[in-house]
Amino acid sequence: MTALERVRAACHHEPTDRVPVGPFAGFCAARLTGVSLRRYVTDGQAIADAQIALQHAVGHDIVVTAADTYYLAEGFGLEVEFHENALPTAKGPLLTDLKDVDCLRVPDPKRDGRMPVYLDAVRLLSAALGDQVAIRGTGTGPFSIAAYLFGMQRFLMTLAEIEAGEDEDERHVHQLLSMTAEASTAFLKAQFEAGAHILYLGDSLASADMISPAMYRRFVLPYHQRIFAEVNGQGAFTLLHICGDNTVMLDALAETGANVLEIDHKMNLGLCKQRIGDRICLIGNLDPVQTMLHGTTEDVRRESRRCIEQAGQGGGFILGTGCFVPYDSPLENLRAMVETSRQEQIK
Ligand SMILES: [Zn+2]
């Protein structure tokens, strides 16, 4: 099986020769080619070169273009600051009043913000790797983009006031979320056209660590469903990532329509498999910091075996990490994930 065939089979809950391995190894690849993070997030060629170097060194099944989180919000007009050896940071919210939503325009992924950088990366990876290795794109979810544009604290407070019946401006919130969902959808579609096999939607702020399950159902789920309904069925797989412990909203996450759900290390993978594993392919859930950054190769092997035992049964599982692999994680730790998958298969 090629890496791509293995990943496709897992997404379909079909048998594989071994469990596919797809750590969320994005910008940590910059170390292999020695480019600065500033260059990495502004140059699609730098992303593609580093991802290819990492894949050659590790042998995993999925390359990952995702690096920073603001490229799409920038398309709406959010200003960011670049740093030589750190990811970009937002300068401040774009909207001072929710009513300003009326002045926003949905960005064009081929032209606006830094979306073209990530489209270039997919195109270059597709040209270099063809259909051998699965290409996972990037994509920020509607809730997170809205929070970047309006300011996280103010956005959450407004939602809490609406929930409590103290704010009448729900219409503008939904108008904003409709626009950001439209922007996410357009960007995912453009990446599919560029050659991505896995269309990734990361909506980290829509986490149960930040909002209640009721708020997720009211302000997030309808938009996730809308996005996945529009991009599913084209031939790529969709993957949803939300940071944190989302055990209380597992069923809602399985209703989004995403083909694959990334499981954070804070969650019990076995429980997720039991509750929703027959409906959605799972990817996870090694601890990015404790295991990938600070752990030994033996820790990685033990944790990888634990994941395969908890979720590998019956397919529909990809061995991965709960979130981004930190920049300084040893390469041997990434290799240990692939080695363990191979050994578990031999048994
Ligand atoms: Zn995360």
Side-chain angles (χ1 to χ4, degrees), residues 3-325:
L4 178 59
E5 286 167 349
R6 189 174 295 124
V7 170
R8 277 203 175 126
C11 292
H12 281 303
H13 282 75
E14 288 166 359
T16 51
D17 56 348
R18 63 168 175 79
V19 169
V21 179
F24 196 168
F27 60 88
C28 66
R31 268 172 65 205
L32 275 86
T33 49
V35 292
S36 67
L37 286 181
R38 177 197 283 265
R39 169 90 186 280
Y40 194 80
V41 299
T42 53
D43 180 357
Q45 184 79 57
I47 296 174
D49 289 346
Q51 284 297 321
I52 290 167
L54 185 70
Q55 203 279 330
H56 282 162
V58 172
H60 52 304
D61 298 294
I62 306 174
V63 291
V64 175
T65 65
D68 78 306
T69 42
Y70 296 120
Y71 52 88
L72 209 161
E74 282 170 60
F76 278 100
L78 184 78
E79 280 189 61
V80 302
E81 206 169 321
F82 290 96
H83 312 283
E84 200 55 25
N85 281 306
L87 296 177
T89 46
K91 277 188 177 166
L94 179 73
L95 303 172
T96 47
D97 192 306
L98 260 184
K99 291 179 185 65
D100 296 341
V101 171
D102 292 327
C103 308
L104 289 182
R105 182 184 58 80
V106 176
D108 176 351
K110 295 188 175 133
R111 203 187 54 205
D112 297 327
R114 267 179 304 114
M115 286 184 277
V117 169
Y118 288 98
L119 287 177
D120 279 348
V122 170
R123 217 173 283 119
L124 292 161
L125 284 167
S126 179
L129 302 170
D131 273 345
Q132 294 298 304
V133 178
I135 300 166
R136 166 175 166 173
T138 187
T140 310
F143 189 83
S144 299
I145 304 171
Y148 300 149
L149 295 179
F150 192 55
M152 185 62 192
Q153 289 300 333
R154 263 190 315 155
F155 190 58
L156 285 180
M157 272 175 57
T158 303
L159 298 187
E161 282 165 16
I162 291 170
E163 276 283 284
E166 293 160 5
D167 193 309
E168 300 302 311
D169 209 10
E170 184 164 4
R171 186 177 70 82
H172 278 106
V173 168
H174 284 289
Q175 194 182 334
L176 176 60
L177 289 166
S178 290
M179 291 181 88
T180 54
E182 200 184 316
S184 302
T185 305
F187 184 43
L188 295 190
K189 282 183 174 171
Q191 287 176 90
F192 172 69
E193 286 165 18
H197 305 108
I198 300 174
L199 304 178
Y200 165 84
L201 192 77
D203 214 349
S204 295
L205 301 179
S207 160
D209 292 350
M210 311 287 254
I211 59 174
S212 69
M215 285 164 91
Y216 179 81
R217 286 196 175 270
R218 184 169 178 176
F219 298 110
V220 190
L221 181 61
Y223 299 100
H224 283 176
Q225 286 174 331
R226 194 187 293 179
I227 293 166
F228 293 126
E230 284 209 45
V231 299
N232 278 346
Q234 299 185 96
F237 292 98
T238 46
L239 187 158
L240 177 64
H241 175 96
I242 299 180
C243 296
D245 183 354
N246 298 308
T247 311
V248 290
M249 53 192 213
L250 260 186
D251 290 296
L253 297 178
E255 288 168 36
T256 56
N259 303 124
V260 187
L261 183 66
E262 199 149 48
I263 304 298
D264 191 281
H265 74 275
K266 290 180 187 166
M267 297 174 76
N268 181 323
L269 183 62
L271 179 86
C272 296
K273 179 74 175 181
Q274 219 173 47
R275 293 235 327 247
I276 60 168
D278 56 339
R279 284 179 279 167
I280 189 165
C281 174
L282 304 177
I283 179 169
N285 75 338
L286 269 67
D287 187 326
V289 177
Q290 287 310 315
T291 309
M292 299 310 293
L293 178 63
H294 297 306
T296 62
T297 51
E298 195 35 57
D299 294 329
V300 175
R301 285 197 189 92
R302 189 190 60 246
E303 279 296 289
S304 297
R305 282 195 297 271
R306 189 262 306 160
C307 291
I308 293 171
E309 273 166 32
Q310 286 183 328
Q313 203 62 250
F317 176 64
I318 300 169
L319 179 62
T321 51
C323 203
F324 264 122
V325 175

Side-chain angles (χ1 to χ4, degrees), residues 18-19 21 308 319 337-345:
R18 63 168 175 79
V19 169
V21 179
I308 293 171
L319 179 62
M337 291 176 74
V338 178
E339 283 159 17
T340 309
S341 162
R342 289 201 180 110
Q343 282 160 2
E344 289 296 295
Q345 184 263 326

